[in-house]
Amino acid sequence: MAGRDIRRIVAVQPPLEANHRHKKIMPLGLGYLLAMLRREFPDLELACLDLQGTGLSLPAAIGELARIQPDAILMSYWTPMAANAYALLDGIRADVPDPPLLISGGVHPSLFPEEALRHCDYVVLHEGEQTLVDLLRCLRDGGDPDTVAGLQF
């Protein structure tokens, strides 16, 4: 089976409205994931779009992602971020030509993977660094994602 061409990945932190005025939360978890991907796949183009830190609106973020044209989008979120994450994921599917692979992770998707899967292609459960590497390797090599531990789809 032919593998999927994955060359450009954008990690996205959705906004957390409750913290918007007084506290910015750095997407440290996404930074860890991107560092792991950089080490394992030096050929990838990696970027991070922090909607919490930048204040970028969801429609503007969808437009930016359409402009970048990533092959995959990683999104990590907590329960208070879930509504914005789902709106963003659904908007990407609806408004981005040739939508990228959508991968969710973080606390909320790990606790409610069936709910998260209504808005994305894959859910990486719990600590996702190795699972994400294994998933991307599997997809690029044309393997069976069912063999990847810590993954729901």
Side-chain angles (χ1 to χ4, degrees), residues 12-80:
V12 177
Q13 175 171 261
L16 178 60
E17 300 299 331
N19 284 351
H20 187 69
R21 278 192 267 155
H22 58 83
K23 184 177 180 184
K24 304 294 186 209
I25 299 170
M26 293 178 61
L28 196 55
L30 290 176
Y32 292 145
L33 292 172
L34 292 173
M36 186 83 159
L37 292 179
R38 170 67 63 225
R39 186 182 78 198
E40 296 294 322
F41 305 101
D43 62 313
L44 287 176
E45 290 180 42
L46 302 172
C48 185
L49 183 58
D50 179 4
L51 303 185
Q52 176 65 27
T54 63
L56 199 62
S57 71
L58 296 182
I62 292 167
E64 179 65 8
L65 291 166
R67 184 191 68 74
I68 295 170
Q69 297 181 323
D71 301 305
I73 292 175
L74 314 176
M75 193 173 303
S76 178
Y77 47 96
W78 310 334
T79 298

Side-chain angles (χ1 to χ4, degrees), residues 113 117 120-123 135 144-148 151-153:
L117 282 168
C120 66
D121 302 302
Y122 296 95
V123 170
L135 173 62
D144 180 3
D146 208 23
T147 63
V148 177
L151 183 70
Q152 287 206 4
F153 58 100

